[in-house]
Amino acid sequence: MASASRQLLARCMSTSAASAKKLAIKHVTVIGGGLMGAGIAQVAAATGHTVVLVDQTDDLLKKSSKSIEDGLKRVTKKMFADKPEAASQFIAKTLSNFSTSTDPAAVVHSTDLVVEAIVENLEVKNELFKRLDKFAPEHTIFASNTSSLPITDIANSTTRQDRFGGLHFFNPVPMMKLVEVIKTPMTSQTTFDSLMDFSKALGKTPVSCQDTPGFIVNRLLVPYLMESVRLHEKGHASKEDIDVAMKLGAGYPMGPFELLDYVGLDTSKYIIDGWYQMEPENPLFAPSELLNKLVADKKLGKKTGEGFYKYK
């Protein structure tokens, strides 16, 4: 009897140890073939991971695939400047790790990690993860690339809150070294460690942050951008002089209005509106009439040809 009890205890301890072991992420599913999703898929495939990129249509995936091929050509020009044959081999090897699908439920059955990079809409993200939660294996980690929504609110749509975290990449993903790894109160240490290791395996520098609005970079950057708009709105300085001042005085590569136009005014408005709803008493999150008007007029920045500045 005592022997049987010891054997049972040993099996339980073995199971517990296995569940606490870090997951070596090898198979990755990226949901969303836009700029961010394609970039994440590219760096994952280039670092030896098996990657499936998922989007709604084959046409969208063809554009994403071309974007990845073009991105790889740019990267290899620097990596293999005098070795065109090595560059071709690197591209071919990377693309052999990469495939596409329009059916996320069908491809998550064998994946280690799902990274979501779709529209910044909580309801849409929740619907996606709720569905995938039914098809993904128990060990699979879910992560969102959201830049503005609470990771906890997304994780709550699943039954694997302990295997859910944030992986916030920066654009352009192949060039930007930083990844913010977000740990919610429910994220297990094992999951967090696995996400940190995965980020390092991509050649990135991960930083950790709790699930707070904007995480680190955007929490500091967006209020700075909004304060620049308010300074201009009040007539205290022109947008041109503010941009020059921050580039020459603070050493920033772009001024705040140049950066707002580059990011997209609709994106910045969406972020600040979301934060204002969460903390309406916080003056840093107060909306801007000028920004709201530009977005209402469809002047969203470089992508539409006009924002704070006009572009040809």
Side-chain angles (χ1 to χ4, degrees), residues 272-284:
I272 205 69
D273 286 351
W275 293 0
Y276 182 68
Q277 287 180 359
M278 286 188 281
E279 298 182 25
E281 73 287 349
N282 191 332
L284 293 175

Side-chain angles (χ1 to χ4, degrees), residues 39-214:
I40 296 166
Q42 177 182 322
V43 296
T47 48
H49 299 84
T50 302
V51 181
V52 181
L53 180 63
V54 179
D55 213 320
Q56 294 176 317
T57 69
D58 288 326
D59 285 342
L60 289 172
L61 287 168
K62 284 178 183 177
K63 292 178 182 178
S64 301
S65 298
K66 186 179 186 307
S67 170
I68 289 171
E69 288 187 45
D70 291 344
L72 288 170
K73 289 174 184 176
R74 286 193 296 270
V75 169
T76 53
K77 277 185 179 179
K78 294 182 179 180
M79 288 177 63
F80 307 100
D82 302 319
K83 301 176 181 178
E85 191 172 317
S88 297
Q89 290 176 352
F90 179 82
I91 292 173
K93 180 69 171 70
T94 298
L95 293 177
S96 73
N97 294 330
F98 170 77
S99 61
T100 62
S101 175
T102 56
D103 187 353
V107 298
V108 298
H109 61 85
S110 61
T111 196
D112 298 320
L113 172 67
V114 174
V115 182
E116 166 271 312
I118 62 173
V119 62
E120 287 285 79
N121 182 297
L122 181 60
E123 185 177 343
V124 175
K125 291 180 189 291
N126 283 349
E127 287 178 3
L128 171 69
F129 278 117
K130 185 176 181 179
R131 182 182 177 215
L132 296 185
D133 195 32
K134 299 174 183 177
F135 295 94
E138 186 177 346
H139 78 275
T140 303
I141 294 173
F142 284 178
S144 175
N145 181 59
T146 182
S147 60
S148 61
L149 298 172
I151 299 295
T152 302
D153 289 355
I154 306 173
N156 284 342
S157 65
T158 75
T159 60
R160 62 182 77 211
Q161 290 96 330
D162 60 321
R163 284 151 288 153
F164 205 116
L167 279 178
H168 183 219
F169 292 82
F170 291 81
N171 183 39
V173 178
M175 304 301 296
M176 300 294 280
K177 290 293 185 183
L178 184 68
V179 178
E180 292 176 324
V181 181
I182 314 306
K183 184 178 183 182
T184 77
M186 298 169 290
T187 306
S188 72
Q189 188 63 40
T190 303
T191 296
F192 175 75
D193 290 342
S194 298
L195 292 175
M196 291 289 283
D197 287 351
F198 173 68
S199 301
K200 293 173 185 176
L202 298 183
K204 304 300 184 184
T205 300
V207 294
S208 64
C209 184
Q210 298 298 310
D211 191 16
T212 186

